[in-house]
Amino acid sequence: MTPRSKRPRGKKAILPEDSRSYLLPALDTAFLMSDSMRGMRFLLEYQKAEEILRHWGVRSTIVVFGSARARANGPARQRHWYAEARKFGRIASERGGAKDHNGGKRDNVIATGGGPGLMEAANRGAREAGAPTIGFNIRLPHEQRPNRYTTPALTFQFHYFAMRKMHFAMRANALVVFPGGFGTMDELFELLTLSQTRKTRPIPIVLFDEAYWREIINFDAMAAAGTIVRSELKLFSFADSAEDAWAALVRRGLKRGKTAIREL
């Protein structure tokens, strides 16, 4: 006869149904957050945002990047950037189709990184126009809180920069880049590269405040050195007012309904 296994006094026996292995995988947080499930978490970040955007009928977006550090009450140059980003968000939302739920589809919805500064300004202008507006927030060590002007149901949080970038690119009908730092340049060159390599169809790209961009990046020197082809400088143009930015987008082919979605 096999002797019974002894357990230390005072310790309660673990029942089979109390074991973590018995949990349904979808309810096992430790399992879902484990290293081996990274691919699944990546997929979930794609699918959650995708389903909500489809439910809202967001067919295309105008992506707006810019510094999170610029303030409406900051130095004069920052105040100007903020005011023009806000104005652009309103103009694009009123004229681009974001307010129209046309056949269940919305076009050219303003989408930003969801944070403060010039992103907030563009979301604010869109909201003042009465249009939905998107915030693709990223979870950072120093937590980024969403600005108060994004549509609550279209305010997302991502852990993976790569998946956030994909959602920026998938529906982008156009890109307007206000002055910014490393993050702004990262997103700018991401979409420039997708257009340059034709991984997506080329989209209108406008850089706001030509003096700023020419001061920090010598695009002509890149062409002169042969690191880019001179014709690739035509992938973008400059604007110095919200009205000029909108006119440049239209001149460069902005329309309703076109999206880059099929290529990504």
Side-chain angles (χ1 to χ4, degrees), residues 201-220:
R201 63 174 181 79
I203 62 171
I205 297 175
V206 174
L207 308 187
F208 187 90
D209 192 340
E210 183 172 1
Y212 174 84
W213 289 107
R214 290 201 180 278
E215 182 180 2
I216 65 167
I217 304 174
N218 193 333
F219 295 106
D220 291 322

Side-chain angles (χ1 to χ4, degrees), residues 30-31 35 60 62 67 93 96 99 106-107 109 117 127 135-136 144 147-148 162-163 179 209 218 225 256 262:
F31 169 66
D35 181 70
S60 62
I62 295 176
S67 175
S93 297
K99 292 177 68 174
R106 297 182 190 272
D107 286 312
V109 177
R127 180 140 181 195
F136 290 127
Q144 173 184 304
N147 70 65
R148 60 194 175 105
M163 186 50 66
D209 192 340
N218 193 333
R256 296 189 184 190
R262 66 184 184 277

Side-chain angles (χ1 to χ4, degrees), residues 65 161 164-165 181-191:
F65 295 138
F161 270 107
R164 179 181 184 241
K165 286 174 185 252
F182 293 156
T184 299
M185 287 189 283
D186 174 43
E187 303 291 359
L188 164 62
F189 282 106
E190 178 84 18
L191 287 176

Side-chain angles (χ1 to χ4, degrees), residues 98-205:
K99 292 177 68 174
D100 307 332
H101 204 221
N102 201 6
K105 301 295 180 186
R106 297 182 190 272
D107 286 312
N108 300 319
V109 177
I110 292 292
T112 77
L118 302 182
M119 296 175 285
E120 171 191 293
N123 291 132
R124 184 175 182 177
R127 180 140 181 195
E128 288 168 345
T133 182
I134 300 166
F136 290 127
N137 294 268
I138 186 75
R139 190 171 190 174
L140 300 172
H142 301 288
E143 184 181 0
Q144 173 184 304
R145 295 183 63 82
N147 70 65
R148 60 194 175 105
Y149 298 106
T150 55
T151 301
L154 295 173
T155 302
F156 302 97
Q157 181 178 206
F158 293 88
H159 175 74
Y160 297 107
F161 270 107
M163 186 50 66
R164 179 181 184 241
K165 286 174 185 252
M166 185 167 180
H167 274 293
F168 269 129
M170 280 180 62
R171 288 175 168 78
N173 240 1
L175 170 64
V176 178
V177 188
F178 283 81
F182 293 156
T184 299
M185 287 189 283
D186 174 43
E187 303 291 359
L188 164 62
F189 282 106
E190 178 84 18
L191 287 176
L192 274 175
T193 301
L194 288 173
S195 292
Q196 177 199 44
T197 57
R198 300 196 178 277
K199 287 292 287 182
T200 67
R201 63 174 181 79
I203 62 171
I205 297 175

